[in-house]
Amino acid sequence: MARWQPRGYRYPELRVLAPLLPDGRPIKRVSPDKYLDLYAGALASRWQDVKKTVSWLKKVDAALCCWCNPERQKGYEKLFCHTILIGFLLEEAGVPVVYLDGREKPVWDEADRARFLKILRAEVLKRQ
């Protein structure tokens, strides 16, 4: 499964996990800190579908593919990619996650992981 696929690839998409704001616009041109906040809010805005997708991912073997890499992300020494945040969410739900190709060195650290999950929980509760 992949987002922003290079020409010629046609893997299925999990659009519900895409870095899209509630109005459908992509999250872009913001700092990693702001991105984390916006993405948590975006996931919370479609939480029922996100929850179903995470439950499904717990039952299947899946690879979430992304073509982000440190070389493409000038200005950031470490990887700035939303699939890392998806990994945080999946790990929290008990899904084993293996990070490859720079994802073991994200711009986000353990404190950011905790903040992302805290914001997500708070946003979900606020919307219920």
Side-chain angles (χ1 to χ4, degrees):
M1 286 157 247
R3 291 287 304 145
W4 317 118
Q5 299 177 49
R7 187 174 303 185
Y9 288 85
R10 296 235 186 262
Y11 291 119
E13 292 184 12
L14 291 176
R15 193 156 177 87
V16 69
L17 299 178
L20 301 172
L21 295 166
D23 65 7
R25 289 179 298 129
I27 302 170
K28 59 184 182 179
R29 295 188 177 92
V30 296
S31 68
D33 202 45
K34 182 69 173 167
Y35 191 100
L36 186 150
D37 294 336
L38 291 172
Y39 188 59
L43 290 178
S45 75
R46 48 189 180 264
W47 184 245
Q48 292 306 313
D49 291 330
V50 168
K51 196 164 71 169
K52 287 177 194 171
T53 299
V54 170
S55 292
W56 174 72
L57 286 169
K58 289 171 104 171
K59 300 173 192 165
V60 299
D61 286 331
L64 302 181
C65 301
C66 180
W67 281 266
C68 292
N69 64 61
E71 291 79 38
R72 285 183 51 203
Q73 304 205 349
K74 294 172 178 63
Y76 296 99
E77 182 180 321
K78 297 183 177 185
L79 192 64
F80 176 7
C81 176
H82 85 285
T83 58
I84 296 162
L85 300 176
I86 293 169
F88 293 165
L89 173 65
L90 294 174
E91 289 169 333
E92 182 72 6
V95 177
V97 175
V98 176
Y99 298 93
L100 300 172
D101 187 30
R103 283 156 185 80
E104 70 280 0
K105 289 177 41 181
V107 296
W108 297 288
D109 60 19
E110 282 302 311
D112 293 316
R113 180 186 194 280
R115 188 168 69 86
F116 173 69
L117 296 170
K118 182 179 179 181
I119 292 167
L120 181 57
R121 284 186 206 101
E123 288 293 320
V124 168
L125 284 174
K126 185 168 63 172
R127 296 166 195 270
Q128 289 180 342

